[in-house]
Amino acid sequence: LTSLSLCLATAWASIPNMANYTAVWWDDFTGPAGSQVNHALWNQVDRPNNPNKELEAYITGTSTVQLTGTNDGELRIIPYKTDRWYSGRLESIATFTCPPGHSMVLQASIKFPNLDPNSGQSAGLWPAFWAMGNTIRLPQPDYQPWPYNIEFDIAETANIHGNSALGVMHYSNSESPLNYKWYDYDSSKFHTWSFKIDLRNPDWTQQSLVWYADGNEFNRIKGDAFGTDPSTWNGIAQKAYFLILNVAVGGGFPGYPWDQTTGGPDSAMTVEYVAVYQS
């Protein structure tokens, strides 16, 4: 199958049902307007310095991460500039591992800001929904630095790339990403971005990692991409991952903000829900 089927019926507020899957973790971001995110589910990063030569400081509080108060729930991550750029980054406290013989889907409904490449108002903004191997959060001797810990960019985008989101994987000792694939989207709407680890095929070479946008497959990596030894594939597909939502500013991927780059709500990434499903 090349599409991910979602039922129109909903469960748990705005979290959609998925045929043949069960939701095992979710956040539908319900709460009063301007209130904080659920810190039982999310760690809101507080960090002044960032890799990739980014400019933002990630801070706690509701100036950068807040609920919108809509009936079905929404989250906004808002970059803004005063003395410097500030923004928000959320990391799920829970981790998620696909059981052998099963399939797991990481999914979010997101409205990215309008990243018009012909306008300087969004230059340098870098919103993303992604997952990282939890070994980067562990103490020695289990700690693994990036990219050995594995990174799945489920949907990331930037002004210089226009309204087109990237799905890609970083792994092993290679900083060169595997399978760069883009998907064009309408920035005036919410879109469903999904990433599936599928271990249901008994032949590990035919097991897969699959990226979807609104149910349409736009990227796939199979086990046979990693040679004839299953150990590399198993170390990727059966690892524990945590989820990340953030808006970075500046860096090698988006380039840097211009004088006219606009922060505030118009530059926010808005999220209706995040959910993890297992077959």
Side-chain angles (χ1 to χ4, degrees):
L1 293 176
T2 58
S3 65
L4 199 63
S5 176
L6 297 180
C7 298
L8 293 178
T10 60
W12 310 303
S14 59
I15 305 305
N17 285 321
M18 184 179 296
N20 302 315
Y21 286 79
T22 299
V24 296
W25 182 96
W26 63 89
D27 193 350
D28 58 12
F29 303 114
T30 54
S35 60
Q36 65 182 358
V37 72
N38 184 350
H39 290 294
L41 298 177
W42 299 99
N43 173 40
Q44 187 172 344
V45 173
D46 187 2
R47 189 174 66 201
N49 299 310
N50 295 286
N52 307 313
K53 299 181 180 179
E54 298 166 26
L55 300 181
E56 83 287 342
Y58 289 125
I59 58 174
T60 58
T62 57
S63 64
T64 56
V65 176
Q66 61 180 242
L67 304 184
T68 67
T70 60
N71 289 335
D72 57 351
E74 286 178 359
L75 168 81
R76 285 192 300 192
I77 299 180
I78 307 169
Y80 69 89
K81 185 179 182 182
T82 52
D83 57 317
R84 63 171 297 176
W85 280 97
Y86 296 92
S87 191
R89 172 169 167 153
L90 296 178
E91 298 181 355
S92 69
I93 294 172
T95 62
F96 312 100
T97 304
C98 184
H102 289 264
S103 178
M104 181 175 71
V105 177
L106 314 176
Q107 180 168 288
S109 176
I110 299 173
K111 182 180 179 183
F112 290 121
N114 182 18
L115 300 173
D116 181 357
N118 299 311
S119 169
Q121 291 184 338
S122 59
L125 301 182
W126 185 3
F129 168 44
W130 47 307
M132 291 270 277
N134 194 55
T135 48
I136 203 169
R137 301 198 296 195
L138 299 180
Q140 296 289 359
D142 299 315
Y143 168 79
Q144 288 181 304
W146 185 91
Y148 293 88
N149 69 302
I150 315 299
E151 173 183 330
F152 297 122
D153 296 308
I154 302 170
E156 63 175 335
T157 186
N159 170 269
I160 60 171
H161 303 290
N163 292 314
S164 185
L166 173 67
V168 70
M169 171 185 174
H170 300 264
Y171 78 106
S172 188
N173 62 350
S174 173
E175 293 190 14
S176 299
L178 184 66
N179 272 37
Y180 252 102
K181 294 292 176 64
W182 296 89
Y183 190 90
D184 294 337
Y185 61 90
D186 180 351
S187 65
S188 69
K189 300 177 181 179
F190 282 91
H191 298 279
T192 301
W193 302 95
S194 311
F195 175 74
K196 179 169 68 175
I197 300 175
D198 194 341
L199 308 182
R200 291 174 293 185
N201 195 313
D203 178 359
W204 72 269
T205 67
Q206 300 306 303
Q207 295 172 0
S208 59
L209 311 171
V210 193
W211 284 254
Y212 300 89
D214 295 327
N216 301 305
E217 178 181 335
F218 71 98
N219 196 6
R220 178 184 289 261
I221 301 172
K222 295 198 302 181
D224 61 9
F226 302 94
T228 59
D229 182 354
S231 60
T232 299
W233 170 252
N234 291 338
I236 293 168
Q238 297 180 27
K239 184 183 285 285
Y241 292 92
F242 61 94
L243 298 174
I244 305 172
L245 297 165
N246 73 299
V247 180
V249 182
F253 182 78
Y256 290 91
W258 298 359
D259 290 342
Q260 62 265 48
T261 299
T262 303
D266 289 343
S267 297
M269 178 173 75
T270 306
V271 186
E272 288 186 309
Y273 71 85
V274 180
V276 178
Y277 301 86
Q278 285 186 4
S279 65

